[in-house]
């Protein structure tokens, strides 16, 4: 079977992507800075390679286009949001502690990735691949939250003010939207918002 040059290049890129080496990670971090600072339209391959101090050939060894590097960045950001909801160890049995820890981690992820998150939400309406991934992540985030609130409710030790799914969706939307509004705010104000969201979450879920 004959393999074309473009097919061979794509296979090589795929192998490098799967290896997830330091050069690829450095390009992604530079791309994150460029997209966050300049927006999607003003960010170009030339801008990314200039900031990263690498050749265009090096860039194309890892990514086929600006669209491809943005999709990879979207995947990375989506993974970070999912990781923010995850806890392991004995602490997972302390449901109040889990709520406080994951709420803080999720909002901090919005603070770190907020500019990119806004771009992802915009590109999701234009790029089917980004849209499908973002929709999947949003549903997984909310689904986990719903199951967690249901788990708390099942203990019989709380008095929720509404059905678990409604509480979970309301809190998830509020955390994301509120944190986005505070992207440029002083750190003290950002931290105060986290504390307020934790308190409101505990009250809505019904912790006494």
């Amino acid at each position: 079977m004959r393999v074309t040059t473009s097919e061979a290049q794509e296979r090589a890129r795929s192998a490098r992507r799967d290896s997830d080496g330091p050069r690829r990670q450095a390009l992604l971090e530079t791309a994150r800075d460029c997209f966050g600072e300049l927006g999607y339209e003003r960010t170009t391959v030339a801008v990314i390679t200039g900031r990263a101090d690498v050749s265009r050939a090096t860039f194309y060894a890892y990514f086929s286009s600006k669209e491809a590097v943005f999709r990879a960045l979207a995947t990375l950001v989506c993974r970070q949001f999912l990781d923010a909801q995850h806890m392991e160890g004995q602490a997972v049995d302390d449901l109040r502690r889990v709520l406080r820890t994951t709420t803080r981690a999720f909002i901090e992820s919005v603070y770190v990735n907020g500019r990119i998150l806004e771009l992802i939400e915009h590109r999701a309406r234009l790029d089917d691949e980004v849209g499908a991934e973002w929709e999947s992540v949003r549903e997984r985030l909310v689904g986990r939250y719903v199951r967690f609130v249901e788990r708390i409710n099942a203990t019989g030790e709380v008095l929720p003010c509404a059905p678990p799914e409604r509480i979970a969706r309301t809190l998830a939307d509020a955390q994301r939207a509120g944190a986005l509004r505070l992207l440029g705010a002083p750190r003290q104000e950002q931290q105060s918002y986290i504390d307020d969201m934790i308190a409101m979450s505990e009250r809505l879920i019904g912790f006494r």
Side-chain angles (χ1 to χ4, degrees):
M1 180 180 67
R2 184 177 181 181
V3 178
T4 66
T5 301
S6 60
E7 288 174 339
Q9 289 173 333
E10 192 53 45
R11 289 183 182 180
R13 288 191 196 100
S14 179
R16 295 187 188 98
R17 179 193 64 211
D18 294 339
S19 68
D20 208 25
R23 177 62 63 85
R24 183 176 184 275
Q25 285 299 309
L27 281 169
L28 279 174
E29 288 301 319
T30 301
R32 181 202 295 269
D33 293 341
C34 293
F35 284 118
E37 178 184 338
L38 303 174
Y40 186 85
E41 297 302 330
R42 292 172 59 199
T43 297
T44 63
V45 171
V47 168
I48 295 171
T49 55
R51 293 270 187 102
D53 195 23
V54 300
S55 67
R56 291 173 71 93
T58 297
F59 176 91
Y60 286 117
Y62 291 89
F63 305 103
S64 61
S65 63
K66 178 179 84 169
E67 290 77 13
V69 73
F70 185 82
R71 289 169 186 160
L73 182 57
T75 296
L76 178 64
V77 171
C78 287
R79 186 188 310 152
Q80 290 175 350
F81 278 111
L82 290 171
D83 289 345
Q85 270 194 339
H86 183 68
M87 282 185 65
E88 294 182 346
Q90 293 181 346
V92 299
D93 294 326
D94 185 340
L95 299 182
R96 196 166 198 155
R97 180 178 175 185
V98 171
L99 176 66
R100 291 174 175 176
T101 301
T102 56
T103 297
R104 185 173 300 278
F106 180 82
I107 296 176
E108 289 286 7
S109 291
V110 178
Y111 290 154
V112 171
N113 297 294
R115 301 300 180 196
I116 302 301
L117 177 58
E118 291 175 324
L119 290 180
I120 290 173
E121 293 181 337
H122 176 70
R123 291 299 301 173
R125 297 190 289 270
L126 305 173
D127 185 320
D128 290 343
E129 186 174 326
V130 174
E133 179 158 27
W134 180 234
E135 181 62 25
S136 173
V137 167
R138 288 184 64 182
E139 286 305 307
R140 289 176 66 186
L141 287 170
V142 172
R144 284 182 180 179
Y145 209 160
V146 170
R147 290 190 295 274
F148 177 64
V149 175
E150 288 175 339
R151 181 183 170 194
I152 296 173
N153 194 35
T155 65
E157 299 175 359
V158 295
L159 293 172
C161 65
E165 182 169 357
R166 188 167 302 167
I167 292 174
R169 290 188 179 276
T170 298
L171 290 174
D173 289 344
Q175 289 171 17
R176 172 188 146 278
L180 284 175
R181 286 195 296 270
L182 293 173
L183 290 183
R187 184 60 177 165
Q188 183 175 356
E189 187 175 351
Q190 291 181 335
Q191 289 295 320
S192 179
Y193 177 73
I194 293 176
D195 293 338
D196 289 342
M197 277 306 308
I198 290 174
M200 286 187 285
S201 298
E202 291 180 349
R203 183 67 62 86
L204 285 174
I205 290 172
F207 280 109
R208 299 185 180 92

